[in-house]
PDB file of all heavy atoms in Angstrom:
ATOM      1  N   ARG A  57     125.997  99.758 115.958  1.00  0.00           N
ATOM      2  CA  ARG A  57     125.438  99.443 117.270  1.00  0.00           C
ATOM      3  C   ARG A  57     125.351 100.698 118.131  1.00  0.00           C
ATOM      4  O   ARG A  57     125.962 101.726 117.810  1.00  0.00           O
ATOM      5  CB  ARG A  57     126.328  98.382 117.946  1.00  0.00           C
ATOM      6  CG  ARG A  57     126.312  97.082 117.167  1.00  0.00           C
ATOM      7  CD  ARG A  57     127.319  96.063 117.629  1.00  0.00           C
ATOM      8  NE  ARG A  57     127.372  94.949 116.690  1.00  0.00           N
ATOM      9  CZ  ARG A  57     128.216  93.933 116.759  1.00  0.00           C
ATOM     10  NH1 ARG A  57     129.128  93.888 117.757  1.00  0.00           N
ATOM     11  NH2 ARG A  57     128.206  92.978 115.864  1.00  0.00           N
ATOM     12  N   LEU A  58     124.544 100.643 119.172  1.00  0.00           N
ATOM     13  CA  LEU A  58     124.247 101.805 119.979  1.00  0.00           C
ATOM     14  C   LEU A  58     125.506 102.471 120.525  1.00  0.00           C
ATOM     15  O   LEU A  58     126.444 101.794 120.957  1.00  0.00           O
ATOM     16  CB  LEU A  58     123.315 101.436 121.130  1.00  0.00           C
ATOM     17  CG  LEU A  58     121.927 100.882 120.812  1.00  0.00           C
ATOM     18  CD1 LEU A  58     121.166 100.571 122.080  1.00  0.00           C
ATOM     19  CD2 LEU A  58     121.150 101.854 119.920  1.00  0.00           C
ATOM     20  N   VAL A  63     123.512 103.541 125.649  1.00  0.00           N
ATOM     21  CA  VAL A  63     123.486 102.329 126.478  1.00  0.00           C
ATOM     22  C   VAL A  63     123.534 102.729 127.958  1.00  0.00           C
ATOM     23  O   VAL A  63     122.907 102.046 128.808  1.00  0.00           O
ATOM     24  CB  VAL A  63     124.678 101.403 126.124  1.00  0.00           C
ATOM     25  CG1 VAL A  63     124.684 100.187 127.006  1.00  0.00           C
ATOM     26  CG2 VAL A  63     124.598 101.014 124.648  1.00  0.00           C
ATOM     27  N   ASP A  66     120.105 103.356 128.907  1.00  0.00           N
ATOM     28  CA  ASP A  66     119.442 102.064 129.018  1.00  0.00           C
ATOM     29  C   ASP A  66     119.690 101.442 130.394  1.00  0.00           C
ATOM     30  O   ASP A  66     118.761 100.956 131.045  1.00  0.00           O
ATOM     31  CB  ASP A  66     119.965 101.083 127.969  1.00  0.00           C
ATOM     32  CG  ASP A  66     119.521 101.441 126.540  1.00  0.00           C
ATOM     33  OD1 ASP A  66     118.729 102.376 126.395  1.00  0.00           O
ATOM     34  OD2 ASP A  66     119.999 100.753 125.605  1.00  0.00           O
ATOM     35  N   GLU A  67     120.914 101.474 130.811  1.00  0.00           N
ATOM     36  CA  GLU A  67     121.305 100.873 132.103  1.00  0.00           C
ATOM     37  C   GLU A  67     120.648 101.643 133.254  1.00  0.00           C
ATOM     38  O   GLU A  67     120.171 101.040 134.222  1.00  0.00           O
ATOM     39  CB  GLU A  67     122.809 100.866 132.256  1.00  0.00           C
ATOM     40  CG  GLU A  67     123.289 100.186 133.525  1.00  0.00           C
ATOM     41  CD  GLU A  67     124.824 100.107 133.588  1.00  0.00           C
ATOM     42  OE1 GLU A  67     125.469 100.592 132.654  1.00  0.00           O
ATOM     43  OE2 GLU A  67     125.348  99.560 134.588  1.00  0.00           O
ATOM     44  N   TYR A  72     115.838  98.226 128.166  1.00  0.00           N
ATOM     45  CA  TYR A  72     116.699  97.822 127.060  1.00  0.00           C
ATOM     46  C   TYR A  72     115.863  97.415 125.873  1.00  0.00           C
ATOM     47  O   TYR A  72     116.258  97.663 124.728  1.00  0.00           O
ATOM     48  CB  TYR A  72     117.527  96.603 127.493  1.00  0.00           C
ATOM     49  CG  TYR A  72     118.636  96.918 128.481  1.00  0.00           C
ATOM     50  CD1 TYR A  72     118.417  96.809 129.849  1.00  0.00           C
ATOM     51  CD2 TYR A  72     119.909  97.300 128.042  1.00  0.00           C
ATOM     52  CE1 TYR A  72     119.415  97.066 130.773  1.00  0.00           C
ATOM     53  CE2 TYR A  72     120.925  97.575 128.971  1.00  0.00           C
ATOM     54  CZ  TYR A  72     120.670  97.440 130.324  1.00  0.00           C
ATOM     55  OH  TYR A  72     121.676  97.701 131.216  1.00  0.00           O
ATOM     56  N   ARG A  73     114.731  96.804 126.133  1.00  0.00           N
ATOM     57  CA  ARG A  73     113.918  96.246 125.040  1.00  0.00           C
ATOM     58  C   ARG A  73     112.581  96.934 125.003  1.00  0.00           C
ATOM     59  O   ARG A  73     112.510  98.157 124.969  1.00  0.00           O
ATOM     60  CB  ARG A  73     113.813  94.739 125.218  1.00  0.00           C
ATOM     61  CG  ARG A  73     115.208  94.025 125.105  1.00  0.00           C
ATOM     62  CD  ARG A  73     115.079  92.521 125.234  1.00  0.00           C
ATOM     63  NE  ARG A  73     116.324  91.854 124.956  1.00  0.00           N
ATOM     64  CZ  ARG A  73     117.006  91.113 125.795  1.00  0.00           C
ATOM     65  NH1 ARG A  73     116.551  90.948 127.032  1.00  0.00           N
ATOM     66  NH2 ARG A  73     118.122  90.514 125.450  1.00  0.00           N
ATOM     67  N   PRO A  81     114.017  89.961 131.423  1.00  0.00           N
ATOM     68  CA  PRO A  81     115.402  89.922 131.911  1.00  0.00           C
ATOM     69  C   PRO A  81     116.260  90.992 131.248  1.00  0.00           C
ATOM     70  O   PRO A  81     116.045  91.370 130.098  1.00  0.00           O
ATOM     71  CB  PRO A  81     115.883  88.516 131.521  1.00  0.00           C
ATOM     72  CG  PRO A  81     115.011  88.134 130.359  1.00  0.00           C
ATOM     73  CD  PRO A  81     113.697  88.748 130.617  1.00  0.00           C
ATOM     74  N   ALA A  82     117.222  91.476 131.986  1.00  0.00           N
ATOM     75  CA  ALA A  82     118.232  92.368 131.368  1.00  0.00           C
ATOM     76  C   ALA A  82     119.089  91.548 130.435  1.00  0.00           C
ATOM     77  O   ALA A  82     119.262  90.332 130.608  1.00  0.00           O
ATOM     78  CB  ALA A  82     119.081  92.992 132.457  1.00  0.00           C
ATOM     79  N   PRO A  83     119.615  92.163 129.378  1.00  0.00           N
ATOM     80  CA  PRO A  83     120.482  91.395 128.458  1.00  0.00           C
ATOM     81  C   PRO A  83     121.675  90.799 129.174  1.00  0.00           C
ATOM     82  O   PRO A  83     122.215  91.367 130.109  1.00  0.00           O
ATOM     83  CB  PRO A  83     120.933  92.483 127.444  1.00  0.00           C
ATOM     84  CG  PRO A  83     119.887  93.539 127.535  1.00  0.00           C
ATOM     85  CD  PRO A  83     119.438  93.552 128.987  1.00  0.00           C
ATOM     86  N   ALA A  84     122.086  89.633 128.687  1.00  0.00           N
ATOM     87  CA  ALA A  84     123.243  88.976 129.276  1.00  0.00           C
ATOM     88  C   ALA A  84     124.497  89.790 129.016  1.00  0.00           C
ATOM     89  O   ALA A  84     125.392  89.857 129.851  1.00  0.00           O
ATOM     90  CB  ALA A  84     123.396  87.579 128.700  1.00  0.00           C
ATOM     91  N   GLU A  85     124.581  90.411 127.854  1.00  0.00           N
ATOM     92  CA  GLU A  85     125.690  91.281 127.506  1.00  0.00           C
ATOM     93  C   GLU A  85     125.168  92.682 127.300  1.00  0.00           C
ATOM     94  O   GLU A  85     124.329  92.915 126.442  1.00  0.00           O
ATOM     95  CB  GLU A  85     126.385  90.773 126.226  1.00  0.00           C
ATOM     96  CG  GLU A  85     127.484  91.670 125.698  1.00  0.00           C
ATOM     97  CD  GLU A  85     128.598  91.893 126.715  1.00  0.00           C
ATOM     98  OE1 GLU A  85     129.323  90.936 126.989  1.00  0.00           O
ATOM     99  OE2 GLU A  85     128.677  93.024 127.267  1.00  0.00           O
ATOM    100  N   THR A  86     125.592  93.621 128.128  1.00  0.00           N
ATOM    101  CA  THR A  86     125.015  94.963 128.091  1.00  0.00           C
ATOM    102  C   THR A  86     125.933  95.984 127.391  1.00  0.00           C
ATOM    103  O   THR A  86     125.711  97.179 127.462  1.00  0.00           O
ATOM    104  CB  THR A  86     124.703  95.474 129.498  1.00  0.00           C
ATOM    105  OG1 THR A  86     125.900  95.431 130.309  1.00  0.00           O
ATOM    106  CG2 THR A  86     123.627  94.622 130.150  1.00  0.00           C
ATOM    107  N   ASP A  87     126.950  95.506 126.696  1.00  0.00           N
ATOM    108  CA  ASP A  87     127.805  96.378 125.891  1.00  0.00           C
ATOM    109  C   ASP A  87     127.735  95.910 124.434  1.00  0.00           C
ATOM    110  O   ASP A  87     128.379  94.940 124.068  1.00  0.00           O
ATOM    111  CB  ASP A  87     129.231  96.316 126.396  1.00  0.00           C
ATOM    112  CG  ASP A  87     130.183  97.202 125.552  1.00  0.00           C
ATOM    113  OD1 ASP A  87     129.662  97.999 124.730  1.00  0.00           O
ATOM    114  OD2 ASP A  87     131.384  97.126 125.740  1.00  0.00           O
ATOM    115  N   PRO A  88     126.921  96.604 123.637  1.00  0.00           N
ATOM    116  CA  PRO A  88     126.783  96.176 122.234  1.00  0.00           C
ATOM    117  C   PRO A  88     128.111  96.121 121.488  1.00  0.00           C
ATOM    118  O   PRO A  88     128.233  95.301 120.538  1.00  0.00           O
ATOM    119  CB  PRO A  88     125.866  97.237 121.623  1.00  0.00           C
ATOM    120  CG  PRO A  88     125.090  97.781 122.777  1.00  0.00           C
ATOM    121  CD  PRO A  88     126.070  97.781 123.931  1.00  0.00           C
ATOM    122  N   GLN A  89     129.073  96.956 121.860  1.00  0.00           N
ATOM    123  CA  GLN A  89     130.360  96.919 121.149  1.00  0.00           C
ATOM    124  C   GLN A  89     131.110  95.615 121.426  1.00  0.00           C
ATOM    125  O   GLN A  89     132.071  95.287 120.704  1.00  0.00           O
ATOM    126  CB  GLN A  89     131.207  98.122 121.567  1.00  0.00           C
ATOM    127  CG  GLN A  89     130.494  99.449 121.421  1.00  0.00           C
ATOM    128  CD  GLN A  89     129.945  99.725 120.026  1.00  0.00           C
ATOM    129  OE1 GLN A  89     130.579  99.339 119.038  1.00  0.00           O
ATOM    130  NE2 GLN A  89     128.810 100.348 119.925  1.00  0.00           N
ATOM    131  N   ALA A  90     130.684  94.890 122.470  1.00  0.00           N
ATOM    132  CA  ALA A  90     131.365  93.629 122.803  1.00  0.00           C
ATOM    133  C   ALA A  90     130.618  92.405 122.254  1.00  0.00           C
ATOM    134  O   ALA A  90     131.025  91.277 122.527  1.00  0.00           O
ATOM    135  CB  ALA A  90     131.470  93.498 124.328  1.00  0.00           C
ATOM    136  N   PHE A  91     129.551  92.639 121.489  1.00  0.00           N
ATOM    137  CA  PHE A  91     128.820  91.513 120.912  1.00  0.00           C
ATOM    138  C   PHE A  91     129.787  90.705 120.015  1.00  0.00           C
ATOM    139  O   PHE A  91     130.583  91.246 119.233  1.00  0.00           O
ATOM    140  CB  PHE A  91     127.671  92.007 120.009  1.00  0.00           C
ATOM    141  CG  PHE A  91     126.487  92.534 120.763  1.00  0.00           C
ATOM    142  CD1 PHE A  91     125.430  93.087 120.073  1.00  0.00           C
ATOM    143  CD2 PHE A  91     126.411  92.468 122.141  1.00  0.00           C
ATOM    144  CE1 PHE A  91     124.315  93.596 120.763  1.00  0.00           C
ATOM    145  CE2 PHE A  91     125.312  92.945 122.842  1.00  0.00           C
ATOM    146  CZ  PHE A  91     124.280  93.515 122.125  1.00  0.00           C
ATOM    147  N   VAL A  92     129.705  89.395 120.140  1.00  0.00           N
ATOM    148  CA  VAL A  92     130.455  88.479 119.268  1.00  0.00           C
ATOM    149  C   VAL A  92     129.441  87.728 118.411  1.00  0.00           C
ATOM    150  O   VAL A  92     128.643  86.960 118.931  1.00  0.00           O
ATOM    151  CB  VAL A  92     131.313  87.504 120.082  1.00  0.00           C
ATOM    152  CG1 VAL A  92     132.027  86.517 119.160  1.00  0.00           C
ATOM    153  CG2 VAL A  92     132.299  88.250 120.945  1.00  0.00           C
ATOM    154  N   TRP A 106     120.422  84.469 117.513  1.00  0.00           N
ATOM    155  CA  TRP A 106     121.378  85.456 118.021  1.00  0.00           C
ATOM    156  C   TRP A 106     120.893  86.875 117.773  1.00  0.00           C
ATOM    157  O   TRP A 106     120.959  87.714 118.673  1.00  0.00           O
ATOM    158  CB  TRP A 106     122.731  85.236 117.341  1.00  0.00           C
ATOM    159  CG  TRP A 106     123.811  86.152 117.844  1.00  0.00           C
ATOM    160  CD1 TRP A 106     124.676  85.922 118.875  1.00  0.00           C
ATOM    161  CD2 TRP A 106     124.116  87.472 117.378  1.00  0.00           C
ATOM    162  NE1 TRP A 106     125.513  87.000 119.063  1.00  0.00           N
ATOM    163  CE2 TRP A 106     125.184  87.974 118.145  1.00  0.00           C
ATOM    164  CE3 TRP A 106     123.576  88.300 116.371  1.00  0.00           C
ATOM    165  CZ2 TRP A 106     125.739  89.242 117.953  1.00  0.00           C
ATOM    166  CZ3 TRP A 106     124.129  89.559 116.172  1.00  0.00           C
ATOM    167  CH2 TRP A 106     125.193  90.005 116.951  1.00  0.00           C
ATOM    168  N   ARG A 109     118.110  87.890 120.126  1.00  0.00           N
ATOM    169  CA  ARG A 109     118.605  88.140 121.499  1.00  0.00           C
ATOM    170  C   ARG A 109     119.354  89.471 121.577  1.00  0.00           C
ATOM    171  O   ARG A 109     119.314  90.163 122.588  1.00  0.00           O
ATOM    172  CB  ARG A 109     119.508  86.960 121.909  1.00  0.00           C
ATOM    173  CG  ARG A 109     120.178  87.110 123.260  1.00  0.00           C
ATOM    174  CD  ARG A 109     119.199  87.160 124.419  1.00  0.00           C
ATOM    175  NE  ARG A 109     118.442  85.988 124.592  1.00  0.00           N
ATOM    176  CZ  ARG A 109     118.804  84.909 125.311  1.00  0.00           C
ATOM    177  NH1 ARG A 109     119.987  84.890 125.889  1.00  0.00           N
ATOM    178  NH2 ARG A 109     118.024  83.876 125.424  1.00  0.00           N
ATOM    179  N   HIS A 110     120.049  89.855 120.491  1.00  0.00           N
ATOM    180  CA  HIS A 110     120.924  91.032 120.537  1.00  0.00           C
ATOM    181  C   HIS A 110     120.342  92.245 119.818  1.00  0.00           C
ATOM    182  O   HIS A 110     121.006  93.278 119.748  1.00  0.00           O
ATOM    183  CB  HIS A 110     122.276  90.694 119.935  1.00  0.00           C
ATOM    184  CG  HIS A 110     123.054  89.675 120.674  1.00  0.00           C
ATOM    185  ND1 HIS A 110     122.852  88.308 120.536  1.00  0.00           N
ATOM    186  CD2 HIS A 110     124.042  89.799 121.630  1.00  0.00           C
ATOM    187  CE1 HIS A 110     123.680  87.648 121.345  1.00  0.00           C
ATOM    188  NE2 HIS A 110     124.399  88.529 122.015  1.00  0.00           N
ATOM    189  N   LEU A 111     119.110  92.138 119.314  1.00  0.00           N
ATOM    190  CA  LEU A 111     118.539  93.210 118.506  1.00  0.00           C
ATOM    191  C   LEU A 111     118.571  94.551 119.224  1.00  0.00           C
ATOM    192  O   LEU A 111     118.822  95.607 118.589  1.00  0.00           O
ATOM    193  CB  LEU A 111     117.108  92.857 118.109  1.00  0.00           C
ATOM    194  CG  LEU A 111     116.319  93.925 117.352  1.00  0.00           C
ATOM    195  CD1 LEU A 111     116.991  94.243 116.013  1.00  0.00           C
ATOM    196  CD2 LEU A 111     114.868  93.470 117.147  1.00  0.00           C
ATOM    197  N   TRP A 112     118.318  94.561 120.512  1.00  0.00           N
ATOM    198  CA  TRP A 112     118.227  95.810 121.275  1.00  0.00           C
ATOM    199  C   TRP A 112     119.488  96.672 121.139  1.00  0.00           C
ATOM    200  O   TRP A 112     119.436  97.884 121.234  1.00  0.00           O
ATOM    201  CB  TRP A 112     118.001  95.528 122.754  1.00  0.00           C
ATOM    202  CG  TRP A 112     119.208  94.974 123.432  1.00  0.00           C
ATOM    203  CD1 TRP A 112     119.601  93.659 123.549  1.00  0.00           C
ATOM    204  CD2 TRP A 112     120.267  95.717 124.056  1.00  0.00           C
ATOM    205  NE1 TRP A 112     120.800  93.536 124.191  1.00  0.00           N
ATOM    206  CE2 TRP A 112     121.237  94.797 124.511  1.00  0.00           C
ATOM    207  CE3 TRP A 112     120.486  97.085 124.274  1.00  0.00           C
ATOM    208  CZ2 TRP A 112     122.381  95.170 125.186  1.00  0.00           C
ATOM    209  CZ3 TRP A 112     121.641  97.472 124.919  1.00  0.00           C
ATOM    210  CH2 TRP A 112     122.586  96.528 125.377  1.00  0.00           C
ATOM    211  N   GLY A 113     120.619  96.034 120.901  1.00  0.00           N
ATOM    212  CA  GLY A 113     121.909  96.745 120.888  1.00  0.00           C
ATOM    213  C   GLY A 113     122.256  97.339 119.549  1.00  0.00           C
ATOM    214  O   GLY A 113     123.283  98.009 119.416  1.00  0.00           O
ATOM    215  N   PHE A 114     121.442  97.116 118.522  1.00  0.00           N
ATOM    216  CA  PHE A 114     121.697  97.659 117.190  1.00  0.00           C
ATOM    217  C   PHE A 114     120.934  98.956 117.005  1.00  0.00           C
ATOM    218  O   PHE A 114     119.827  99.165 117.514  1.00  0.00           O
ATOM    219  CB  PHE A 114     121.246  96.663 116.128  1.00  0.00           C
ATOM    220  CG  PHE A 114     122.215  95.547 115.906  1.00  0.00           C
ATOM    221  CD1 PHE A 114     122.150  94.379 116.685  1.00  0.00           C
ATOM    222  CD2 PHE A 114     123.221  95.626 114.941  1.00  0.00           C
ATOM    223  CE1 PHE A 114     123.034  93.349 116.502  1.00  0.00           C
ATOM    224  CE2 PHE A 114     124.115  94.585 114.777  1.00  0.00           C
ATOM    225  CZ  PHE A 114     124.017  93.442 115.561  1.00  0.00           C
ATOM    226  N   PRO A 505     129.793  79.570 128.629  1.00  0.00           N
ATOM    227  CA  PRO A 505     128.474  80.132 129.042  1.00  0.00           C
ATOM    228  C   PRO A 505     127.366  79.556 128.191  1.00  0.00           C
ATOM    229  O   PRO A 505     127.548  79.295 126.983  1.00  0.00           O
ATOM    230  CB  PRO A 505     128.661  81.637 128.788  1.00  0.00           C
ATOM    231  CG  PRO A 505     130.137  81.878 128.831  1.00  0.00           C
ATOM    232  CD  PRO A 505     130.752  80.625 128.258  1.00  0.00           C
ATOM    233  N   ASP A 507     123.417  80.210 126.898  1.00  0.00           N
ATOM    234  CA  ASP A 507     122.293  81.126 126.755  1.00  0.00           C
ATOM    235  C   ASP A 507     121.000  80.334 126.671  1.00  0.00           C
ATOM    236  O   ASP A 507     120.952  79.314 125.926  1.00  0.00           O
ATOM    237  CB  ASP A 507     122.450  81.990 125.513  1.00  0.00           C
ATOM    238  CG  ASP A 507     123.493  83.090 125.680  1.00  0.00           C
ATOM    239  OD1 ASP A 507     124.210  83.069 126.696  1.00  0.00           O
ATOM    240  OD2 ASP A 507     123.623  83.933 124.785  1.00  0.00           O
ATOM    241  N   PRO A 533     118.501  84.684 134.958  1.00  0.00           N
ATOM    242  CA  PRO A 533     119.211  85.425 133.908  1.00  0.00           C
ATOM    243  C   PRO A 533     119.049  84.778 132.529  1.00  0.00           C
ATOM    244  O   PRO A 533     118.504  83.679 132.437  1.00  0.00           O
ATOM    245  CB  PRO A 533     120.668  85.343 134.403  1.00  0.00           C
ATOM    246  CG  PRO A 533     120.722  83.996 135.070  1.00  0.00           C
ATOM    247  CD  PRO A 533     119.384  83.797 135.736  1.00  0.00           C
ATOM    248  N   GLU A 534     119.526  85.458 131.522  1.00  0.00           N
ATOM    249  CA  GLU A 534     119.522  84.907 130.168  1.00  0.00           C
ATOM    250  C   GLU A 534     120.718  84.013 129.920  1.00  0.00           C
ATOM    251  O   GLU A 534     120.756  83.258 128.956  1.00  0.00           O
ATOM    252  CB  GLU A 534     119.537  86.013 129.126  1.00  0.00           C
ATOM    253  CG  GLU A 534     118.240  86.795 129.005  1.00  0.00           C
ATOM    254  CD  GLU A 534     118.261  87.776 127.847  1.00  0.00           C
ATOM    255  OE1 GLU A 534     119.351  88.153 127.386  1.00  0.00           O
ATOM    256  OE2 GLU A 534     117.180  88.138 127.397  1.00  0.00           O
ATOM    257  N   ARG A 535     121.749  84.124 130.779  1.00  0.00           N
ATOM    258  CA  ARG A 535     122.985  83.374 130.556  1.00  0.00           C
ATOM    259  C   ARG A 535     123.518  82.831 131.864  1.00  0.00           C
ATOM    260  O   ARG A 535     123.491  83.562 132.896  1.00  0.00           O
ATOM    261  CB  ARG A 535     124.029  84.275 129.856  1.00  0.00           C
ATOM    262  CG  ARG A 535     125.416  83.628 129.679  1.00  0.00           C
ATOM    263  CD  ARG A 535     126.345  84.615 128.999  1.00  0.00           C
ATOM    264  NE  ARG A 535     125.894  84.866 127.632  1.00  0.00           N
ATOM    265  CZ  ARG A 535     126.387  85.849 126.858  1.00  0.00           C
ATOM    266  NH1 ARG A 535     127.308  86.679 127.364  1.00  0.00           N
ATOM    267  NH2 ARG A 535     125.942  86.043 125.660  1.00  0.00           N
ATOM    268  N   GLN A 537     127.023  81.105 133.609  1.00  0.00           N
ATOM    269  CA  GLN A 537     128.441  80.845 133.437  1.00  0.00           C
ATOM    270  C   GLN A 537     128.728  79.373 133.740  1.00  0.00           C
ATOM    271  O   GLN A 537     127.957  78.700 134.440  1.00  0.00           O
ATOM    272  CB  GLN A 537     129.242  81.768 134.349  1.00  0.00           C
ATOM    273  CG  GLN A 537     129.065  83.233 134.064  1.00  0.00           C
ATOM    274  CD  GLN A 537     129.499  83.607 132.640  1.00  0.00           C
ATOM    275  OE1 GLN A 537     130.456  83.064 132.106  1.00  0.00           O
ATOM    276  NE2 GLN A 537     128.771  84.562 132.026  1.00  0.00           N
ATOM    277  N   TYR A 571     126.348  80.481 119.687  1.00  0.00           N
ATOM    278  CA  TYR A 571     125.338  80.389 118.599  1.00  0.00           C
ATOM    279  C   TYR A 571     125.879  79.784 117.324  1.00  0.00           C
ATOM    280  O   TYR A 571     125.379  80.070 116.238  1.00  0.00           O
ATOM    281  CB  TYR A 571     124.713  81.767 118.327  1.00  0.00           C
ATOM    282  CG  TYR A 571     123.830  82.232 119.458  1.00  0.00           C
ATOM    283  CD1 TYR A 571     124.349  82.893 120.569  1.00  0.00           C
ATOM    284  CD2 TYR A 571     122.449  81.981 119.443  1.00  0.00           C
ATOM    285  CE1 TYR A 571     123.528  83.291 121.614  1.00  0.00           C
ATOM    286  CE2 TYR A 571     121.623  82.384 120.476  1.00  0.00           C
ATOM    287  CZ  TYR A 571     122.167  83.032 121.579  1.00  0.00           C
ATOM    288  OH  TYR A 571     121.358  83.433 122.619  1.00  0.00           O
TER     289      TYR A 571
END
Side-chain angles (χ1 to χ4, degrees):
R57 297 170 189 175
L58 297 181
V63 178
D66 290 354
E67 183 176 1
Y72 289 92
R73 296 181 172 119
E85 175 58 69
T86 57
D87 179 9
Q89 307 306 323
F91 286 175
V92 177
W106 182 92
R109 176 62 64 86
H110 295 82
L111 175 62
W112 72 272
F114 282 87
D507 285 8
E534 289 187 338
R535 175 179 295 167
Q537 298 299 323
Y571 289 85

